[in-house]
Structures are given as C-alpha cells and as structure tokens.
Amino acid sequence: MKIAVIGGDGTGPEVTAEALKVLQAVSQLENFSYDTKEFDFGGERYLRTQETLPEGAVDELRNFDAIFLGAVGHPDVAPGILEKGLLLELRFQLDQYINLRPVKLYPGVETPLAGKGPEDIDFVVVRENTEDLYCGTGGFLKKNTPDEVAMQSAVYTRKGCERCIRWAFEFTRQRNNPQGKMLTLVAKTNVLTYGHDLWWRTFQEVAEEYSDVKADYNHVDACCMWMVKTPEYYDVIVTTNMFGDIITDLGAMVQGGLGVAAGGNINPDPGGTSMFEPMGGSAPKYTGQKVINPIAAIGAMAMLLEQSGQPAAGQRVLQAIQTVTAAKMKSQNAGKMGYDTTQVGDLVVEALG
Ligand code: IPM
Ligand code: MN
C-alpha cells in the first residue's frame, strides 16, 4: 500500500503523526507493509511559493493508493484559497465523488443530546462530493455598484447523482443494519424543483434494484430536527454536496465534536485514489501545544485501512479507539482529554492488543 501524507497546516501535522504511529503498530499486528511519502502542501508552502498545488502534483498523487490529509487552513492566507486550491481541487481532480462521514458516538463520549447513547447515535452520511454549489459556476454583474448582481449556480448531473446514489445503496446493503437496512435521501424537492427532482427521480429508479433496502426521504430541514430528536431513526443518509457539508457538522457535534469526527473522500472506481481526513480544521490557536485530540485523525486512518484493502486492520483500530474513549479519556475536547496528543496516540497503540 502506497500512502501519500499531507500533514498540512496548524495542528494537522500533530494529529497526522499519531495516525501514522497507529498505522505502524497495526501493520505489524496485521502483517501488512506500506510505504508513505510526505508532501508539504498547505499554507506555509503557499506563503513561500504562491502556489497551492505545484505543477504535476495531482498526477503524482494519482499513483498512490490513498492520501492522508491532516488539515488545511492558515491564519495568514485569505479564506478560500487553500480550501479551493488544495482540498476541493484534490476532491475534484481525483474525482472523489463520495464523501463518507460516519456519525458514531463512541462509548464514554459525551453527546449534547440528552438521554442518547452509543446505541442511538450510529449512522452514516454519504455526501456527493463533486457537484452542486461546489462547482464554482457563477459570476458578478456590475460588481461594486448599487446594481450589483451575484449568481452562483448549483450543478447536478444524472451521472453524478446516479453514481453516488448507487454507491450509497450498495453501502447500505453491505452495512446490513440488523435493525433494518434503510437509505434516506436528504434533499429539498419542495423548493429545488429541478436539481433535486433529478436526484429524486434517480433515487426512485436505483431503489428498484435494491428491494432489500428501504428507500426513505427527508427534506433537509426536517432531517436537522430528526438528527437531534431521534438520531436512532437513521441508518444511511445520501445527500447533495452542500447539504451534506452542513448536516455533517451537526453530525460531528452529535457524535462528540470535531475531535472525533472523521471522513473519507472516496473514488471507488478501479485505480481511484481516495483521501482521508479528520473533519476538524487546522486549529491555529492550539498549534504546537500538544493539546489537540488525535482521535478523529486516527479514525480517518481506520477508514483509510477499511477502504484500501485492510478491513481487519481498520476494524482493529476502530475497536482500539473505542477502548480508549470508554476507559481512559476524560473528554474529547482539546486540552481536556486528561492526556496530551501523543499520549492519546500511545493509548490507542496499547489498546490494539
Ligand atoms: C468540509 C469543509 C470543506 C467543505 C471546506 C473547507 C471547503 O467544510 O470538508 O466539510 O465545505 O467541504
Ligand atoms: Mn464542512
């Protein structure tokens, strides 16, 4: 397995180091080998060179089986530059059309939802990752005048939604929830009567191929209510890029915060290169203090293993994380864990067995 490592900005390199530590340990226990290569992409490099991704970088990254990304975001770089030039650029260029974001409350982790526990909060969001408002289509008319017009268009294609919906049905089937397999389409068909009508029709058609999976639908605003009130309702959600961005931040809080939430940008096609990342940002104010929680990054490594042909190793890491959250950590918040960043990494390594 060839893994490209982009530690990135702020606390990104600190949490990446812990994820790599766990990778090293689990590779010995599960008997597989791997190579890593580090790339210095991020804010510092941008400030030095004025480029986010150097010429040829994407093609080099294509040759890796997977990419591990710590964080992007630098206080001295204007918002949008690194996000667009690095994160979104890689998602788009590598056609990582699935953004897989589990919402799972680990044992011992506090959720702000009163009376809910790990048995209630365990679902997965499949976010489309290459279309919608993220495609950057739009422009200004009469900019900086009182008559200014700004337009930003959402783009949805039949191919784009169908491949995501089909993957989500397949994923739901394989997840095989003992309480019943259910895929909920989250959209806004009552207002977005063109774009989300395409999603709705495609969802209905693909659903016919999966009679074992219940095909369900929620409007996105209602979904926000149910995620808080009855999270146990959900098994798998499939949704558009922008709604997926928003509801997965809600999901991250429900599962105990950004110290815990991990995601995968997946290109499931043969030879595709996927990228795994903790959902929290670069947290500049915590940089270098050894207080940031590496659990999300270690969780992202578990997902990388699961999706890159080492499912047993991925499961083993996920188990070890849960042993540590249940028995050791005081909190999942930065600076309140009861341990520093590297100690949490060590605890996970110990718990691998
Ligand atoms: C995320 C982030 C990104 C997104 C930003 C940084 C461009 O919020 O991964 O959810 O909107 O997708
Ligand atoms: Mn987001």
Side-chain angles (χ1 to χ4, degrees):
M1 191 179 352
K2 283 172 64 190
I3 305 173
V5 176
I6 307 172
D9 300 318
T11 51
E14 293 168 57
V15 296
T16 299
E18 300 314 305
L20 291 173
K21 187 198 276 177
V22 172
L23 171 65
Q24 159 74 31
V26 79
S27 74
Q28 279 165 5
L29 293 163
E30 294 285 338
N31 274 311
F32 67 90
S33 61
Y34 65 93
D35 282 323
T36 57
K37 180 170 178 190
E38 303 221 4
F39 293 85
D40 67 350
F41 307 147
E44 293 295 333
R45 183 185 170 119
Y46 174 76
L47 290 170
R48 241 179 19 246
T49 64
Q50 294 301 304
E51 61 187 5
T52 46
L53 279 171
E55 188 77 30
V58 174
D59 285 326
E60 185 176 0
L61 289 170
R62 258 183 238 290
N63 296 319
F64 287 82
D65 298 302
I67 303 168
F68 187 92
L69 174 66
V72 290
H74 194 291
D76 301 336
V77 180
I81 292 181
L82 297 169
E83 291 86 342
K84 271 185 108 165
L86 196 57
L87 184 61
L88 298 180
E89 188 67 14
L90 288 175
R91 288 178 183 171
F92 279 63
Q93 293 284 343
L94 298 173
D95 206 19
Q96 295 163 339
Y97 57 88
I98 301 296
N99 193 328
L100 186 65
R101 294 188 161 176
V103 180
K104 182 176 172 62
L105 183 67
Y106 298 138
V109 175
E110 201 183 335
T111 172
L113 303 187
K116 302 293 180 188
E119 61 293 349
D120 303 305
I121 299 170
D122 189 359
F123 61 95
V124 179
V125 178
V126 177
R127 165 187 174 190
E128 199 289 322
N129 213 27
T130 56
E131 300 197 334
D132 200 358
L133 286 162
Y134 279 78
C135 61
T137 304
F140 300 108
L141 284 174
K142 303 182 185 175
K143 194 173 177 187
N144 293 322
T145 74
D147 296 328
E148 177 161 356
V149 179
M151 281 172 297
Q152 190 112 31
S153 306
V155 173
Y156 305 102
T157 68
R158 170 74 197 209
K159 176 185 158 189
C161 67
E162 185 173 340
R163 64 185 182 174
C164 176
I165 289 167
R166 180 165 278 109
W167 193 90
F169 270 108
E170 204 61 50
F171 179 82
T172 310
R173 177 177 275 172
Q174 271 156 42
R175 180 169 148 93
N176 198 16
N177 187 341
Q179 277 140 46
K181 291 169 271 190
M182 180 173 78
L183 179 63
T184 304
L185 171 65
V186 168
K188 189 76 181 172
T189 54
N190 53 348
V191 176
L192 304 179
T193 50
Y194 308 115
H196 288 199
D197 187 66
L198 174 61
W199 268 77
W200 169 252
R201 282 180 282 118
T202 306
F203 184 72
Q204 302 296 313
E205 275 176 42
V206 177
E208 283 177 22
E209 298 166 33
Y210 295 87
S211 54
D212 55 322
V213 177
K214 184 177 175 207
D216 180 47
Y217 176 82
N218 284 177
H219 289 317
V220 65
D221 45 353
C223 169
C224 290
M225 300 196 307
W226 304 132
M227 272 174 69
V228 171
K229 191 159 193 273
T230 49
E232 64 276 14
Y233 173 78
Y234 293 110
D235 179 15
V236 181
I237 288 173
V238 64
T239 191
T240 55
N241 203 348
M242 182 55 91
F243 289 171
D245 176 47
I246 298 166
I247 69 169
T248 55
D249 264 24
L250 177 57
M253 286 304 124
V254 162
Q255 73 179 119
L258 288 172
V260 186
N265 304 276
I266 298 172
N267 177 339
D269 295 343
T273 300
S274 302
M275 176 168 71
F276 300 83
E277 48 172 341
M279 268 176 65
S282 54
K285 70 173 176 180
Y286 295 129
T287 303
Q289 297 181 30
K290 293 174 89 178
V291 295
I292 198 78
N293 188 350
I295 289 292
I298 298 169
M301 186 57 81
M303 287 181 80
L304 182 155
L305 290 165
E306 177 103 43
Q307 296 290 330
S308 313
Q310 295 295 340
Q315 278 307 315
R316 194 160 178 162
V317 173
L318 197 60
Q319 275 309 318
I321 289 173
Q322 293 180 73
T323 305
V324 172
T325 61
K328 304 278 186 184
M329 295 174 76
K330 290 203 179 72
S331 162
Q332 298 301 316
N333 296 334
K336 301 190 175 137
M337 302 184 291
Y339 301 92
D340 71 20
T341 305
T342 56
Q343 287 172 324
V344 173
D346 292 342
L347 287 170
V348 176
V349 166
E350 247 170 64
L352 287 170

